[in-house]
Amino acid sequence: MTVIGGGIAGLCAAIAARRGGAVVRLLEAAPRPLRGGNARHGRNFRLTHETPLDYVPDRYTAEELRAELRSVTGDDTDRALTELLIERAHSIAGWLIDHGVHLQPPGTGVMPYSRRTAFPLGGGKAMINALYASAERLGIAINYDSEVRSILRSEGGGWTINVRSAGADDPIRTRSVVVCAGGAGADPAWLRANFGSTAEGWMVRGTPYADGRLLDLLIGAGGCAIGDPTTCHVVPVDARGPQFDGGIVTRITSIPLGLVVDRSGARIDVAGAGSQPTHYAKWGPRIADCPGQLAYLLLDTRGLARAAPSALAPITAPSLGELAATLAIDPAALLQNIDDFNAAPANAARTIAVPPFFAYPMRPGLTFVHYGIKVDATMRVVQADGRRHDDLFAAGMIMAANVLRRGYLAGLGITLSAVFGQIAGEEAARHVRG
Ligand SMILES: Cc1cc2nc3c(=O)[nH]c(=O)nc-3n(C[C@H](O)[C@H](O)[C@H](O)COP(=O)(O)OP(=O)(O)OC[C@H]3O[C@@H](n4cnc5c(N)ncnc54)[C@H](O)[C@@H]3O)c2cc1C
C-alpha cells in the first residue's frame, strides 16, 4: 500500500499500517531536509489524561476536551469522528513515545505551563525525525522528492499513482492509498481564487508542498468536499519573513504591548482581542483587511523590553518622526494617532513615549484553511454520491474540516493528524491483508 505525504499524518499512517502487517511505501514531495510537513513547526499537541504524567501536569479529561471542541465547532461537526478523536487523544502520547518521540518534562525549559498539551523535546522537527527513524527501522520504503501528480483507478483493482521525481514521471501500482498530503492553502493561485486579491498580501506559515493538489484531485474524481474554502486561520507574522515556511518564529507575539497602525498611520484595534494567546487569531483577519494587507506594531523601549525575542530584529529609530520616515508613513498622521493613544492608554506601560522606538511590519500568515475531503469513521474517502472506495483513505489536515469547520484549539492539529493517520493506516492494512 502507499501513503502520500510524509507529514505527521502520513508518518502515523505508514507506521500503523506497517505494524498492521502491510508492505508500505511513503511518497513525500519535499526533499529529505524539508520532510515532515507542518509538524516540523509544531510546539505542542493536545492529549487527555486523568492524572499527572511525566510530560504533562495535573489532569485534562475527555469531558473537558469535548466541551472545548463544542465551544469551537458548535453542532457543525461530524460527531462520530469527534468522538474517535477524543477517545484516541488519551493514547496518542504513549503511541508517539513508543515510536521514538521524547516529550519534555513539564515546567522545564522555556515552555509555558500547560495541562492540555505536551511538548516534544527538541520541538516538532525532533518529533518528525524520530518518527522517520522509526519508519525506516520498520522497513517502510520512503521516497523523497516524489510529488504525486495523479491517482487513477487501475484496471483489475487497486490504483496507479503517477509520481514526478527528478523531472520524470513514474507510475506506481498499489493496492491501497492513504492520502495525507495536508490541507489546501500553500498555492497562491488557489488562495487568490478563494479569498480574492487580498490573499496576494498573505504569507503561508507552513510548507509550500501542501498545495492542495491532492485535495483537488480527490474532489475532481467525485470526492465530497467538506467545510468552507473561504474561511481560515490567519495570524500576524513579520512581513520581512519568507513567503512560505516561516513557521512559528516569524509570528508577532507582542501586540498587547504596543499600538498597531496601518500604512497611513491610522490606529487599528480589534475589539475583545485582549492579551490571551487567542488574540493572534483575531488580529490576523484584521490585518488582512488593512490596505495592502500591511500593518505596523509600534513599541517604545519599555514595550520592547517586555516583548519576547523575535526572529527578525525590529526596525528602530531614535524618534517617532524618524520612525515614520523609515516606515514611509505620514509623520503628522502617525504622531497625532500616537498622541491620542497615549492620552488614553490601556495602562501606563503601554504608552509609546520612551525612545528609542521600534516597529514590526506585519502581514497575515495563513496557518490552514477550513476545507477538505469528507471521510467516514474508517478514514475512507466519501464520494459526493455517498459511495466510498474500500481502498482509498485520507487523513490529517486534508480531512480536518470533518471535525473542525471553524476556529482552532491550540495543539489540536497534530493530535488530529496523528490520530486519524493512525486509524487510516490500521484500516488500510486490514484492507490489504483481506
Ligand atoms: C507554523 C505552524 C505551526 C503549527 N504549530 C502547531 C502546534 O504547535 N501544535 C499543533 O497541534 N498543530 C500545529 N500546527 C498545525 C499542524 O502542524 C498540522 O495540523 C499538522 O502538522 C498537519 O499534518 P499533516 O500530515 O496532515 O499535513 P502536512 O503537515 O501539511 O503534511 C503534508 C505532507 O504531504 C506532502 N505532500 C503534499 N502534496 C504532496 C504530493 N502531491 N505528493 C507527495 N507529497 C505531498 C507535503 O510535502 C507534506 O510533507 C502548526 C501549523 C503551522 C503551519
Side-chain angles (χ1 to χ4, degrees), residues 43-44 112 205 232-238 247-257 260 268-289 297 306-310 362-368 407-411:
R43 287 202 324 164
N44 54 349
R205 302 175 64 210
C232 61
H233 183 267
V234 276
V235 303
V237 296
D238 196 311
I248 53 172
V249 295
T250 62
R251 195 175 56 170
I252 300 293
T253 56
S254 37
I255 288 179
L257 302 173
V260 179
I268 299 169
D269 251 322
V270 174
S275 58
Q276 295 299 311
T278 46
H279 76 265
Y280 311 120
K282 295 193 168 129
W283 274 99
R286 183 68 189 86
I287 294 169
D289 285 340
L297 169 63
R306 291 171 58 195
S310 54
M362 301 186 288
R363 285 196 179 280
L366 178 79
T367 321
F368 65 91
Y408 186 59
L409 281 181

Side-chain angles (χ1 to χ4, degrees), residues 45-50 53 55-56 60-62 65-66 69 81-95 116 411-412 415-416 418-420 422-423:
F45 64 90
R46 209 164 263 254
L47 73 172
T48 61
H49 55 110
E50 297 291 338
L53 300 169
Y55 42 87
V56 67
Y60 178 58
T61 64
L65 175 56
R66 187 174 293 112
L69 272 168
L81 290 181
T82 302
E83 285 305 316
L84 268 179
L85 175 63
I86 293 169
E87 185 190 316
R88 296 240 186 164
H90 187 64
S91 55
I92 189 63
W95 192 92
R116 293 176 173 78
L412 195 72
T415 301
L416 181 151
V419 160
F420 291 138
Q422 260 182 35
I423 295 173

Side-chain angles (χ1 to χ4, degrees), residues 4-10 27-30 36-39 41-45 146-148 180-183 205-207 209-211 213-214 247-248 367 395-398 408 411-415 417:
I4 302 174
I8 185 83
L27 300 173
E28 168 54 49
N38 290 334
H41 300 303
R43 287 202 324 164
N44 54 349
F45 64 90
S146 297
E147 184 198 0
V148 172
C180 301
R205 302 175 64 210
T207 175
Y209 296 95
D211 60 5
R213 174 192 288 268
L214 264 295
I248 53 172
T367 321
M397 280 318 281
I398 197 168
Y408 186 59
L412 195 72
I414 287 177
T415 301
S417 302

Side-chain angles (χ1 to χ4, degrees), residues 112-138:
Y113 169 88
S114 171
R115 67 187 180 91
R116 293 176 173 78
T117 62
F119 293 81
L121 187 65
K125 178 83 173 161
M127 172 173 72
I128 284 296
N129 286 344
L131 292 175
Y132 268 101
S134 225
E136 282 165 8
R137 270 195 305 276
L138 287 166

Side-chain angles (χ1 to χ4, degrees), residues 340-397:
D340 293 348
F341 174 75
N342 286 348
N347 62 58
R350 277 192 60 201
T351 56
I352 311 292
V354 180
F357 299 98
F358 303 92
Y360 287 102
M362 301 186 288
R363 285 196 179 280
L366 178 79
T367 321
F368 65 91
V369 183
H370 293 104
Y371 185 58
I373 194 81
K374 188 171 169 60
V375 296
D376 66 13
T378 65
M379 303 303 127
R380 284 183 168 83
V381 172
V382 176
Q383 302 295 109
D385 61 10
R387 288 181 303 132
R388 58 213 76 191
H389 301 285
D390 57 2
D391 50 6
L392 180 63
F393 304 81
M397 280 318 281

